[in-house]
Amino acid sequence: LRLALGGVLFLSIPYAVQNTGYVTGQYVLFLKNLDDASAVGQEMVYPSLFAMLHMIGLNMPVAGQTALQVVAALVTLATGWLVCRRFPAPQASVLLYSLAACYLLLFNPRTENNGYTLLMPAVAAFTARALCVEKRWSRSLLLVAIVVALTGGYEITRAVTPRAPIVWLCPLACLVFLGFLIGEIAKPLAWSRFSLRHEPAPLLSTAEFQCSA
């Protein structure tokens, strides 16, 4: 509610310092610009989920893409709400950020390879926990591989598929991380059904995070 009221206030400020018709016209043009940008994004030259599917012959019409985007947004919202209710605040913050980043990167029609750096803080936190807390090298190697794929997406894609668009590696790495993330969310929730006293372990203590950094 506070975010909605703040948004209305923010959008109302220009009317106090400029002609009403001009401000309204700028907002209308802004919406048109968003529509034009979305149309350009349908060209399958940007590394998104739909472009990756397009490369393997799974072409989804624009209406189908929009429907899937809406459904994915609602699922992300519901999962974020559940995470905030069931996990300690520090862990919930990391999980919520990770979910939002995955949604934006996979379903935004104008995502670029360098935009996938949005995932780096989240991947870094999970990698630090795997190395410093859990001591699980297999998990650490998986997360490091995701980092390599995201940072070197352009060069790796050019080397592996030189004649194909550079649109598949980053969304693929993001999907792998999303699967990892779902597992991180599902395990504590599943265990909590068998033990009312179960509490998810904190992602990282302050000392452990400083050590890993």
Side-chain angles (χ1 to χ4, degrees):
L1 179 60
R2 287 178 293 179
L3 180 62
L5 293 176
V8 171
L9 177 62
F10 178 78
L11 295 174
S12 301
I13 292 175
Y15 286 102
V17 295
Q18 187 55 268
N19 178 271
T20 301
Y22 174 79
V23 176
T24 302
Q26 291 296 298
Y27 283 149
V28 171
L29 290 175
F30 168 72
L31 294 175
K32 182 179 182 302
N33 188 47
L34 285 180
D35 185 60
D36 292 342
S38 177
V40 173
Q42 306 301 326
E43 296 176 0
M44 299 301 175
V45 295
Y46 297 92
S48 66
L49 173 65
F50 302 116
M52 185 182 69
L53 295 176
H54 176 75
M55 283 193 62
I56 61 176
L58 298 176
N59 298 313
M60 184 174 294
V62 175
Q65 293 181 29
T66 302
L68 185 57
Q69 288 169 335
V70 172
V71 171
L74 294 175
V75 171
T76 302
L77 180 63
T79 306
W81 177 82
L82 182 63
V83 161
C84 290
R85 287 180 59 88
R86 297 293 184 87
F87 288 81
Q91 192 172 4
S93 299
V94 176
L95 293 171
L96 190 62
Y97 175 87
S98 304
L99 288 168
C102 286
Y103 174 79
L104 288 172
L105 293 169
L106 290 174
F107 294 97
N108 181 1
R110 295 291 294 274
T111 300
E112 297 185 2
N113 280 311
N114 56 9
Y116 281 84
T117 54
L118 277 173
L119 279 182
M120 293 307 181
V123 179
F126 285 108
T127 305
R129 186 183 68 173
L131 286 171
C132 298
V133 181
E134 299 172 331
K135 310 295 184 181
R136 297 178 62 177
W137 294 104
S138 58
R139 177 172 295 197
S140 303
L141 289 174
L142 171 65
L143 292 167
V144 169
I146 292 174
V147 171
V148 172
L150 294 176
T151 54
Y154 183 91
E155 292 78 6
I156 296 173
T157 305
R158 280 297 187 206
V160 176
T161 54
R163 297 184 179 181
I166 52 171
V167 298
W168 60 271
L169 182 57
C170 284
L172 178 61
C174 186
L175 278 177
V176 173
F177 179 69
L178 180 59
F180 170 86
L181 193 63
I182 292 172
E184 291 297 300
I185 296 172
K187 283 187 299 184
L189 295 181
W191 277 107
S192 64
R193 298 179 62 182
F194 297 96
S195 173
L196 295 177
R197 293 182 296 177
H198 171 76
E199 294 183 1
L203 187 60
L204 277 177
S205 68
T206 303
E208 289 165 340
F209 185 81
Q210 291 173 345
C211 173
S212 64

